[in-house]
Amino acid sequence: MSRTKLKSKGFAAYQATQFAGAFNDNVFKLLLICFASNLLINQEGAREAYVAKAGAFFILPYLLCSSYAGYLADRFSKKSVMIGTKVAEIIIMLLGFFLFKIHALNTLLLILFFMGAQSAFFSPAKYGFLPEVLPSRDLSKGNGINQLFTFLAIISGSWAGAALSNWSALDPYKAAYFCVAIAIIGTIFSLFISPTPAGNPRTKAVADPFSPHFRTFLEMKRDKLLLLSLLSNSYFWFIGALFQLVILFFAKDSLGGDDVLVGHLQASLAIGIGAGSAIAGYISRGKIEYGLIIPGAFFTGIFAILLGLFANTKGSSFLFFAALGLAGGFFQLPLVTSIQKRSPAAKLGRYLAAGNALDCLAMILASFAQWLLLGVFKLGAQQVFIFIGILTIIAAIIICAQAPDLLKRTRKLGLVMRH
């Protein structure tokens, strides 16, 4: 099969498809969280509990469905899997529209569950597509572009979700029309994705959703750097989910803002991650640049602490969130590329699915941490940011201890950049 170029129509259709999906996820989630926040504002502790449940309901399917998603991504053409999941998205958005119309607040959590399941089935095919169609020299750049478009989708989705929430107020079904339309547009784009080869017919499905993950983790132990990349990437999603859950309380309680400010702060973080990923892909120069991991982790921790200490105005908050995201992009991009490149090609779907399951556990833990830190220990949002920063610096030190060669790569990268 001929390799796809980064400027090809098939790659552009892939980017448009995944952009539409990530955009829609963020619009719908923000519509629901803002609707619940406004509806439950006078019930003590109800907002915090609902936001935590919403995060868990969206993430739980990654744990329950990832092994089946990995099987489909290995067994069938990844393009076919992506098209199938986009059709499912249309059905889910239609159901969400109906439940918004009748104000079924608790039942809407099931829509988040279905959205999470749809994303879980899309993810191994989405990430497995890149190493399957791109030349090795373009994989880091391709991932950088992919992350940039993903976080641009988060930016615009967060902005649109906040604006639509403000406009529709306590009648969010009016805004849910928009989500149905985007699902249809994304499905049309998916038809033009570059063709991918047929899957491996010898791949076998397993009824138990967890044993394939355990088998995969045991296999990964043979490649210490692959396993470390997987664990570090899951940590990235843990802090990312925790930030997203806490931003609402920071915007409204610390800055005295509204739903629109929530969207703008999420956009600042997302644009930083997208830009950081794109720059990291350029710096990598046709290879996996492991030297970015440690400085990316350290600066992520430092900016999180600075955010907690000094973000007292909207302007300073936008600045620190963007800087935090930039460092996060440097941290995550080589991790994602490493997982794609070091995983066996015939088992890529299963390996990516195991990573998704671990990411799911990390994000469920983030929902629990949000409830514990804000609801039980009564910390303010800025104190939570400081906690995340300290924890991330500790994580960076652990990475250094487990893979000292990464420090050598960092020093080597520094020498190259200076020259």
Side-chain angles (χ1 to χ4, degrees):
M1 186 187 74
S2 61
R3 290 288 180 173
T4 296
K5 295 181 179 179
L6 293 175
K7 295 182 180 179
S8 69
K9 291 181 180 178
F11 187 73
Y14 161 79
Q15 292 297 345
T17 300
Q18 65 94 18
F19 178 95
F23 179 91
N24 227 12
D25 280 352
N26 282 275
V27 169
F28 193 94
K29 281 191 293 183
L30 205 57
L31 275 176
L32 180 53
I33 289 174
C34 290
F35 175 55
S37 176
N38 294 331
L39 207 62
L40 304 172
I41 193 167
N42 295 320
Q43 299 181 35
E44 185 178 355
R47 286 188 311 159
E48 291 82 355
Y50 192 90
V51 171
K53 283 191 290 185
F57 265 80
F58 183 76
I59 296 305
L60 185 60
Y62 279 88
L63 183 62
L64 299 178
C65 303
S66 285
S67 63
Y68 308 128
Y71 162 75
L72 290 178
D74 284 335
R75 176 64 181 82
F76 302 101
S77 161
K78 292 175 177 60
K79 176 180 178 177
S80 298
V81 174
M82 286 189 276
I83 292 172
T85 58
K86 296 303 292 183
V87 172
E89 184 184 341
I90 297 174
I91 299 170
I92 294 166
M93 289 297 104
L94 284 169
L95 184 57
F97 161 78
F98 171 73
L99 293 175
F100 265 135
K101 190 172 179 64
I102 63 173
H103 285 197
L105 189 60
N106 288 323
T107 311
L108 276 162
L109 290 172
L110 289 177
I111 298 300
L112 285 182
F113 182 89
F114 294 145
M115 288 171 61
Q118 183 265 340
S119 296
F121 278 99
F122 184 78
S123 186
K126 166 188 169 180
Y127 284 106
F129 170 86
L130 293 175
E132 204 164 79
V133 303
L134 292 179
S136 294
R137 68 179 182 278
D138 287 337
L139 188 56
S140 286
K141 281 187 180 179
N143 272 308
I145 294 169
N146 190 47
Q147 296 295 81
L148 176 61
F149 271 82
T150 297
F151 287 102
L152 283 174
I154 294 172
I155 295 162
S156 50
S158 298
W159 173 84
L164 288 168
S165 176
N166 231 30
W167 168 71
S168 59
L170 293 180
D171 290 315
Y173 75 91
K174 296 177 181 177
Y177 280 115
F178 190 70
C179 296
V180 176
I182 293 298
I184 293 171
I185 292 169
T187 303
I188 294 170
F189 278 127
S190 71
L191 301 176
F192 299 96
I193 292 173
S194 299
T196 57
N200 180 6
R202 292 173 295 187
T203 301
K204 295 181 180 180
V206 178
D208 168 24
F210 303 115
S211 60
H213 299 325
F214 291 121
R215 186 167 75 251
T216 301
F217 292 136
L218 288 174
E219 291 175 10
M220 283 185 176
K221 289 177 68 176
R222 302 170 193 162
D223 186 339
K224 185 176 179 180
L225 190 53
L226 172 61
L227 185 58
L228 183 63
S229 296
L230 191 78
L231 294 172
S232 300
N233 189 58
S234 293
Y235 176 77
F236 171 85
W237 285 110
F238 165 75
I239 61 172
L242 187 51
F243 268 114
Q244 192 170 35
L245 291 169
V246 174
I247 282 175
L248 182 143
F249 305 103
F250 173 69
K252 294 191 173 184
D253 300 338
S254 300
L255 298 180
D258 55 12
D259 293 342
V260 174
L261 182 60
V262 175
H264 289 169
L265 291 175
Q266 288 187 337
S268 296
L269 180 62
I271 197 168
I273 296 175
S277 298
I279 294 169
Y282 175 78
I283 291 173
S284 296
R285 299 179 183 180
K287 63 180 184 300
I288 304 172
E289 187 46 80
Y290 291 103
L292 295 172
I293 295 173
I294 291 174
F298 269 112
F299 279 106
T300 297
I302 290 168
F303 284 122
I305 293 171
L306 292 175
L307 176 66
L309 291 174
F310 301 113
N312 300 315
T313 65
K314 292 179 183 179
S316 61
S317 298
F318 291 142
L319 180 64
F320 283 122
F321 270 117
L324 174 70
L326 191 74
F330 275 69
F331 176 45
Q332 195 212 13
L333 182 85
L335 299 174
V336 171
T337 312
S338 174
I339 295 167
Q340 291 171 330
K341 192 66 177 175
R342 301 181 79 93
S343 298
K347 303 175 183 177
L348 183 58
R350 174 156 66 86
Y351 273 55
L352 291 172
N356 282 344
L358 195 61
D359 294 344
C360 162
L361 288 174
M363 288 186 275
I364 290 174
L365 182 60
S367 293
F368 174 74
Q370 178 259 317
W371 168 78
L372 191 67
L373 295 170
L374 292 178
V376 177
F377 292 119
K378 305 297 182 183
L379 296 182
Q382 288 171 278
Q383 292 172 305
V384 175
F385 295 155
I386 294 170
F387 169 80
I388 293 173
I390 294 170
L391 193 65
T392 302
I393 290 173
I394 293 171
I397 293 170
I398 292 172
I399 293 171
C400 290
Q402 291 297 314
D405 285 348
L406 293 183
L407 276 175
K408 296 178 183 177
R409 291 290 292 265
T410 301
R411 295 191 191 101
K412 184 178 179 180
L413 176 64
L415 290 172
V416 171
M417 295 297 290
R418 281 197 292 271
H419 289 88

